[in-house]
Amino acid sequence: MALKIIVSYDDTDNDRDALALGRLLAFSGAELSLAYVRHAQGGALEQKEAEELLARGAASLGAPDMPRHVIVNPGTSVGLAELAERENADVIVFGSEYRTAAGTVKPGISAHKLLLGGPAAIAVAPAGMREHPSAGINTIGILDEGDVAARDTANSLASALGASVVDFSGRPVDLLVVGSRPESPQGKVTLSASSDYAVEAATYPVLVVARGVPLSFGAPQPQVA
């Protein structure tokens, strides 16, 4: 069964970065969908605007029929977590916080909350990734925190994309795969202090894997226009 990847998308530049990362990961054969969390019930107009926002994101990928979800929840992180559990999603992708300098990574509030016990792997795109749509993944770094799930995930993605895997030493890579800390509950994402620092210092996409749950990527698929 193909991995399920949800991109948190609100049509801002930073979430277009998330879309670029989601597209790159989906190239390995994963199923990609978009999600937008509304914070109030509102009316038909707000629902229509949300649907149109997601439709624009799908159209920008050349995939107008891709799955899209409008969720109503006071908390973006809670809404996305509930959606991920309902859809059996494997990864939630975020852009960096909107004030982040180009080329660097800074998880926003919602992403940060899900890095403290979320039910699915969390990926964060560096600011400005949208401007490099043809970028690929040739080198994958691993910061495993003693959890084989991170290494298995990196090896699976590397096999799908024809990339190489290296133990992370602080040098730039094309993607960093991070394991959750040893005391994390099975199936939950939690960063250690050292891993949190590595994420905040990153200048490349980051994928944080839930404890004990490796991601299995499939064969590459043709990229959409």
Side-chain angles (χ1 to χ4, degrees), residues 48-169:
K48 184 174 183 293
E49 290 174 344
E51 291 172 353
E52 289 175 346
L53 175 155
L54 292 179
R56 288 194 296 272
S60 73
L61 285 181
D65 296 326
M66 70 186 301
R68 303 188 293 274
H69 309 275
V70 178
I71 309 141
V72 179
N73 196 292
T76 299
S77 60
V78 175
L80 290 172
E82 291 178 351
L83 175 65
E85 291 179 322
R86 186 167 67 248
E87 295 291 320
N88 292 315
D90 301 285
V91 186
I92 304 173
V93 184
F94 292 90
S96 289
E97 199 265 345
Y98 76 96
R99 292 167 293 189
T100 306
T104 62
V105 169
K106 183 174 179 57
I109 293 174
S110 298
H112 188 71
K113 287 180 178 179
L114 291 175
L115 288 169
L116 297 173
I122 301 299
V124 185
M129 187 172 180
R130 65 190 180 279
E131 298 175 358
H132 306 282
S134 60
I137 296 175
N138 297 309
T139 305
I140 300 173
I142 304 174
L143 188 57
D144 63 19
E145 292 289 348
D147 184 8
V148 70
R151 187 168 298 273
D152 287 349
T153 295
N155 287 335
S156 175
L157 183 57
S159 177
L161 298 180
S164 60
V165 176
V166 298
D167 287 321
F168 183 64
S169 62

